[in-house]
Each structure stands twice: as C-alpha cells, then as structure tokens.
Amino acid sequence: MNDHPRFTASDPHYETRIRDSFARQGIMKHLGARLVELAPGHVTIQVPFRPELTQQHNFFHAGVSATIADSACGYAAYTLMPADSSVLTVEYKMNLLAPADGEELIARARVLRSGKTLKICAADVLVRKNASDVHCATMLATIMCLPGKPDRPR
Amino acid sequence: MNDHPRFTASDPHYETRIRDSFARQGIMKHLGARLVELAPGHVTIQVPFRPELTQQHNFFHAGVSATIADSACGYAAYTLMPADSSVLTVEYKMNLLAPADGEELIARARVLRSGKTLKICAADVLVRKNASDVHCATMLATIMCLPGKPDRPR
Amino acid sequence: MNDHPRFTASDPHYETRIRDSFARQGIMKHLGARLVELAPGHVTIQVPFRPELTQQHNFFHAGVSATIADSACGYAAYTLMPADSSVLTVEYKMNLLAPADGEELIARARVLRSGKTLKICAADVLVRKNASDVHCATMLATIMCLPGKPDRPR
Amino acid sequence: MNDHPRFTASDPHYETRIRDSFARQGIMKHLGARLVELAPGHVTIQVPFRPELTQQHNFFHAGVSATIADSACGYAAYTLMPADSSVLTVEYKMNLLAPADGEELIARARVLRSGKTLKICAADVLVRKNASDVHCATMLATIMCLPGKPDRPR
C-alpha cells in the first residue's frame, strides 16, 4: 500500500505563500521552530531543545510535538491549496511512542489524501539524540481548505 | 448519562505534588500558563493572550490549546494516582470547534474513567473575549500511571 | 460550558429523510439496530445483545459500539443539513471505558458544533444490564455535508 | 523513518492462541471476516462484500472497516503478548480516505511500538475493486495487555 502519493502544487508560488504564513506564526518563533523542508504534500519542522520547552522530567513537552506536527500537517496540506485560500486544522490525534528526550525535535508531515475541501495528513515526530533518531510521536490530522480567503496579515 | 463522576484522591498531598510538577514544566512558564483549579479528577489551566502564542491570523495557535489541555488532562488524572507514581500521556485527540480568538484561553479537564493503570480524560478549551466564553476545542485523552516512579526532578 | 446547544432543522422533512437513509443501511438490519430517538442535532441508536455481535469474551465487540455511534453521529449531523445533501463521516476517535457487557447497547449522539460544511459530533455509548446503564465508550466525530447530492438509493 | 520494526513473538504458540480467540468473536463470523495473515506484530483481516454490510449508498459501512481494523490491531498486538494474557482495545482513531466501494475489504495492522503494557498499532484499510486496491481508511490504536488473565472462553 502506498502511503506516499506524489503530488504537484497547482500554485507555483506555494513556497513563498507558506514561508510568509509560517513567519507570521508567533508561536513558531517563540518555540524556536524552523521550516526545514517544503515540497508538494510534504513539510518538515524542526525545533532545538531548550529548557523552556520541557515537561516535568526535562524532556520536550508533548505540546511542542503537537504544535510543530500540527503546523507541519497544515502546511503540507496548504502546499496543495490554491493561492487565494486559507488553511485550517479541523482535528488531529497524536499517539506518544517514546519520551521526547534529545537535542532536537523533528516533525515530518505528508498528505495521505488530498480532497478539494479536506486533506488528510500524517506526521511522525522524531527526537534526535547523539545523532540517532527515535520515533517519539505519530499524528493523523484533518486539514480544511477555505477557498477565496487569502491567508494575509490582519 | 453522568459525564462527571465524583472522585476522591487517595494521596492527601496530591495538591503539593501536582503544583511542584507543574512548576517544573518549562513550557508552562514559557507560555505564561497558570494552574487555576485543582480538585480530585478536575484541573483547569489558563493562559493569557500574547503575540508569542499565535498562528498566522493572530489567534491562539491550536498547539497552545493542545499543550494546556494535555497538561490539564494529565494532572486531572494525576490527582487520582498514588504519591509515588509518575504520569504519562499515552495519546489524545482534539477537535477544533472555533477560532481561538480572545484574551484568555482556558482548558478544563476532567477524568471520565479512572482505571488503575489508565485514566480516560476529557478537556474543553474555551476562549474568553469581552467577558464571553466560546467553546473552541475539545479533547479526549488517555493518561497512564507509572507506579513506583515518583515524579521528582532528575 | 454548554455542551448541548439547541438546534433547529432547516429541512422540515428531516425525519423522513433520515429514516429512509437508515433503512437503506444494510449493516443496521444485520446488527439488529433501531433508530430510537431523532431530533435536531440528536440521534440515539440501540441494538439488543446477540451472540453474533460479540468479541472473544462474549461481550459486544467494540466494532458494534463504533458502528452505531458512527451512524448516530452521522445522522445527528444530517438532521441539520439541507434536503438535497448527503452525509459523510470524515473521521472519528473512540475511547473504550468499560466492557460492553449487557443486554442492550445504546449510542447517543449530539452535535457539538454545526458548521456549514463540517459538523463536529460527540456520542456516548451505554450498555444496559439488569436495568442499569454503564458508560462503556465515548466518541468524537467529524461529519461532512455534501451539498447538492441527495442521499438517494443508487 | 522506520514505521515497520521487526518483532519476535515470545509465545511460540501465539498463532493457535490468536486463531482460537478470533474464532470466538461472533461478530467476525457474522460479518464473514477471515484472518488471512498472522505474523509477529502483523495481522490482516479480510471481508467480502455483502449487502448486509452496507451504508446507505451500498458501500461497506465504515463500521465494518472499524471492526476489522480494530480486531487486526488487537491481534497484531496480541502476537507479542505472553500466553497467559488477555488483550483489550483502549481507544482508536480512524480517518476515512475514500468510499469503501468494492468486492473485498482488507485491514492490515502492524505494531508501531510495543511497550510491556501498551502496544501502539496502525492499520490501513484497502478496498479491492476489479483487482485494484484503494486505500479507504487508516487507523491508529492503543492496545492493552492484561497479564495473568488467559483469554479463554467464559
């Protein structure tokens, strides 16, 4: 079964559109997150460890995994949407697989199914420690396209 | 049907235990979150608006809702666990119901079912704007008790 | 917080529309399920115990809970949709709270938020044993309206 | 990232144990489901189309997908559990990706993470039509091991 369909972006300027949107997400800057991969149907967001991002055992809080995986899913879906649309997360589910104990957290999202209104996305969150990656969380998300509502600053 | 069973905490010191744990969550301080209600099976966490917490439309990012709802569910479950245990989020699902547009975000969690190993919790996230509350997200979470592993600083 | 908003059905014939659709679901007849409550934003489906519906311990299989809760959510949402629309389940999450050990399984669904395209629904599944009800499962579901596609036999 | 870890079964008789348990699930017989693949951490369940399994448009009802995917996840996890244990589904989330329109429905489950108490599983549901498979649903499930409670007829 093919979990990784090939997509093409109908909007040739999707990259600028998404980088602009990402730059306006105050939380990404506050977490220290960077958009490190951007391709049709695929987005990766990374965040280095800081004590400001922890739960009580000094690992990354699951909320950080959720935040970057959610944005990665949203933007993976957004690569496939028209230029004059906005993107909205309808819902997601996340399973935590291992403690997020490491120097860097990496959320890799991909579109599983691209409907006109809804895109179903999956993301895996890895934690990197001593150059080795552990699969620490997995997400399934439903992302909605709002056509005719450009994603501009308000 | 009764969604709100009455619980009693077996550990008389649960409040101190949880306030200490909450204080060690670096992310809570980084988000500006406060623990505003703490009772057996019930926890509420609140966070005031700041531009550092936003998505691209200047509303609270869903990741903030998820982070405080996740911690609220975890601590609601933790009120019912023994003194020498740790708490772990296994998974959750969150549906976003309305834009989190307001001055304050409030996550109210309650235990739905309290098994020895697993506690199933629900949380509702409200956004307060001009003294009126809108139900902006709802979460179902599975929380695990790790017995014999006190939740101490490491 | 109000989990139970009041809804009105825009289609005065919603009841006939939904009873016809329910009657065409072969699986409902195969499970022995009946539509026992139908109101704007609210649907209840019940199924009596039979050995054909069990898992390995002779309780109702969780799949039966899921099937009737899914249809109850779908039809609760469908009460609020226009006459010429179809209804589609996008996704759901179900937590199992207790063994479904009893004589009757009852899924009660309600609409939490009614958007034009998407309706977010919740369902609780109760199992009735010796005239007492146990809350055995809870579901959160995302239901989609397909306008201009009447739900007719094909 | 490796979604497919290799597992070994600690119980050499896992196959008999699981086939016996499957045979006691009344719902599997009622749906016409067969266990077609059984390996450590992997289970596939198939069900041929019948009008008794449909929703209102004459496709497989999502409840059938959920029922076989849930059992496939449960048994995939159960392959890795001790001989004297029982298996329990804690929760799952399912996204529906395409109409389940075809002659056969196939749920393929795999264990993503195998903890002692909890196993996190994923399942994909395919629908086969004219010898071609469409990915129609995807599930994430949390499965629990109850040690010291053999899964015997009651």
Side-chain angles (χ1 to χ4, degrees):
Chain A
M1 195 216 48
N2 185 8
D3 256 16
H4 304 275
R6 299 293 257 151
F7 293 110
T8 50
S10 63
D11 171 18
H13 305 298
Y14 77 89
E15 187 164 344
T16 311
R17 173 166 51 90
I18 288 174
R19 291 199 181 274
D20 286 355
S21 180
F22 185 88
R24 285 199 311 278
Q25 292 203 333
I27 190 76
M28 290 301 141
K29 196 175 178 185
H30 197 50
L31 299 178
R34 288 166 300 132
L35 188 56
V36 294
E37 194 206 351
L38 181 51
H42 289 262
V43 163
T44 303
I45 295 176
Q46 242 169 297
V47 57
F49 182 82
R50 294 158 62 193
E52 286 87 352
L53 307 182
T54 56
Q55 35 84 295
Q56 70 274 26
H57 302 135
N58 214 31
F59 304 148
F60 284 100
H61 192 285
V64 179
S65 296
T67 304
I68 63 171
D70 174 5
S71 277
C73 285
Y75 286 129
Y78 201 32
T79 61
L80 307 180
M81 296 183 191
D84 68 343
S85 64
S86 286
V87 61
L88 191 71
T89 299
V90 173
E91 62 80 36
Y92 63 80
K93 185 254 210 284
M94 191 171 71
N95 265 76
L96 301 165
L97 305 173
D101 173 20
E103 302 116 29
E104 190 125 31
L105 203 62
I106 303 154
R108 287 187 186 148
R110 61 190 186 279
V111 176
L112 294 183
R113 184 185 175 271
S114 180
K116 196 181 163 195
T117 303
L118 298 180
K119 320 278 186 194
I120 313 303
C121 300
D124 289 295
V125 184
L126 312 178
V127 65
R128 187 162 292 167
K129 191 176 186 173
N130 302 327
S132 167
D133 288 354
V134 170
H135 189 189
C136 63
T138 187
M139 179 183 277
L140 271 179
T142 305
I143 309 291
M144 192 173 189
C145 177
L146 301 177
K149 292 193 172 183
D151 180 37
R152 289 216 202 84
R154 293 181 187 188
Chain B
M1 198 215 49
N2 185 6
D3 254 17
H4 303 276
R6 298 292 257 153
F7 293 110
T8 51
S10 63
D11 171 18
H13 306 298
Y14 77 87
E15 187 164 345
T16 311
R17 174 166 49 92
I18 287 173
R19 292 199 180 275
D20 286 355
S21 180
F22 184 89
R24 285 199 311 278
Q25 292 202 332
I27 189 76
M28 290 300 141
K29 196 174 176 184
H30 197 50
L31 299 178
R34 288 165 300 132
L35 188 57
V36 295
E37 192 205 352
L38 180 52
H42 289 262
V43 162
T44 302
I45 295 177
Q46 240 169 299
V47 58
F49 181 81
R50 294 157 62 192
E52 287 87 351
L53 307 182
T54 55
Q55 34 84 295
Q56 71 273 24
H57 303 135
N58 214 30
F59 303 149
F60 282 101
H61 193 284
V64 179
S65 296
T67 304
I68 65 171
D70 174 6
S71 276
C73 284
Y75 287 130
Y78 201 32
T79 61
L80 307 180
M81 296 184 191
D84 68 343
S85 64
S86 287
V87 61
L88 192 71
T89 299
V90 173
E91 62 81 36
Y92 62 79
K93 185 253 209 286
M94 191 171 72
N95 266 76
L96 301 166
L97 305 174
D101 173 20
E103 302 115 29
E104 191 125 33
L105 203 63
I106 303 154
R108 287 187 185 146
R110 61 191 186 279
V111 176
L112 294 183
R113 182 185 175 271
S114 180
K116 198 183 163 194
T117 303
L118 297 181
K119 319 279 186 193
I120 312 304
C121 299
D124 289 295
V125 184
L126 312 178
V127 65
R128 187 161 293 167
K129 191 175 185 173
N130 302 328
S132 167
D133 288 353
V134 170
H135 189 190
C136 62
T138 187
M139 180 183 277
L140 270 180
T142 306
I143 309 290
M144 192 174 190
C145 177
L146 301 177
K149 290 194 173 182
D151 180 39
R152 290 216 202 85
R154 295 182 184 184
Chain C
M1 197 215 51
N2 185 8
D3 256 16
H4 304 275
R6 300 292 258 150
F7 293 109
T8 50
S10 62
D11 171 19
H13 305 298
Y14 77 87
E15 187 163 345
T16 312
R17 173 165 52 91
I18 287 174
R19 291 199 181 277
D20 286 355
S21 179
F22 185 89
R24 286 199 312 277
Q25 292 203 332
I27 190 77
M28 289 301 141
K29 196 174 178 185
H30 197 50
L31 299 178
R34 288 164 300 131
L35 187 57
V36 296
E37 192 205 352
L38 181 52
H42 288 262
V43 162
T44 303
I45 295 176
Q46 241 168 299
V47 57
F49 182 82
R50 297 159 59 194
E52 287 86 352
L53 307 182
T54 55
Q55 34 85 294
Q56 70 273 26
H57 303 134
N58 214 32
F59 304 148
F60 284 100
H61 193 285
V64 180
S65 296
T67 304
I68 64 171
D70 174 7
S71 276
C73 284
Y75 287 129
Y78 201 33
T79 61
L80 306 181
M81 295 183 192
D84 67 343
S85 64
S86 287
V87 60
L88 190 72
T89 299
V90 173
E91 61 82 35
Y92 63 80
K93 185 254 208 285
M94 191 170 70
N95 266 76
L96 302 165
L97 305 175
D101 173 20
E103 303 116 28
E104 190 124 31
L105 203 63
I106 303 154
R108 289 188 185 148
R110 63 191 185 279
V111 176
L112 293 183
R113 184 184 174 270
S114 180
K116 196 181 165 193
T117 303
L118 298 180
K119 319 278 187 193
I120 312 303
C121 299
D124 289 294
V125 184
L126 312 177
V127 65
R128 187 162 292 168
K129 191 176 186 173
N130 304 327
S132 167
D133 289 352
V134 171
H135 188 190
C136 63
T138 187
M139 179 182 278
L140 270 180
T142 306
I143 309 292
M144 192 173 188
C145 177
L146 301 178
K149 291 192 173 184
D151 180 38
R152 290 215 203 84
R154 295 180 186 187
Chain D
M1 201 216 46
N2 184 7
D3 256 17
H4 303 277
R6 299 293 257 149
F7 294 109
T8 51
S10 62
D11 171 17
H13 305 297
Y14 77 88
E15 186 163 346
T16 311
R17 174 164 52 89
I18 287 173
R19 292 199 181 276
D20 287 356
S21 180
F22 185 89
R24 287 199 309 278
Q25 291 203 332
I27 189 78
M28 290 299 141
K29 197 175 176 184
H30 198 48
L31 299 178
R34 290 164 300 132
L35 188 56
V36 295
E37 193 206 352
L38 182 51
H42 289 262
V43 163
T44 303
I45 295 176
Q46 242 170 297
V47 58
F49 182 82
R50 294 159 61 193
E52 287 87 352
L53 307 182
T54 55
Q55 34 87 293
Q56 70 273 25
H57 303 135
N58 214 32
F59 304 148
F60 284 100
H61 193 284
V64 179
S65 297
T67 304
I68 64 171
D70 174 6
S71 277
C73 283
Y75 287 130
Y78 201 33
T79 61
L80 307 181
M81 295 182 192
D84 68 343
S85 65
S86 287
V87 61
L88 191 73
T89 298
V90 173
E91 62 82 34
Y92 63 79
K93 184 250 210 289
M94 192 171 71
N95 266 78
L96 301 165
L97 305 174
D101 173 20
E103 303 116 26
E104 190 124 32
L105 202 61
I106 303 155
R108 288 187 185 148
R110 62 190 186 279
V111 176
L112 293 183
R113 183 184 175 271
S114 180
K116 199 182 161 192
T117 303
L118 298 180
K119 319 278 186 195
I120 312 305
C121 299
D124 289 296
V125 184
L126 312 178
V127 65
R128 188 163 292 168
K129 190 174 186 174
N130 303 327
S132 167
D133 289 353
V134 171
H135 189 190
C136 63
T138 187
M139 179 183 278
L140 271 180
T142 305
I143 310 291
M144 191 173 189
C145 176
L146 302 176
K149 292 194 171 180
D151 180 38
R152 291 218 201 83
R154 296 182 184 185

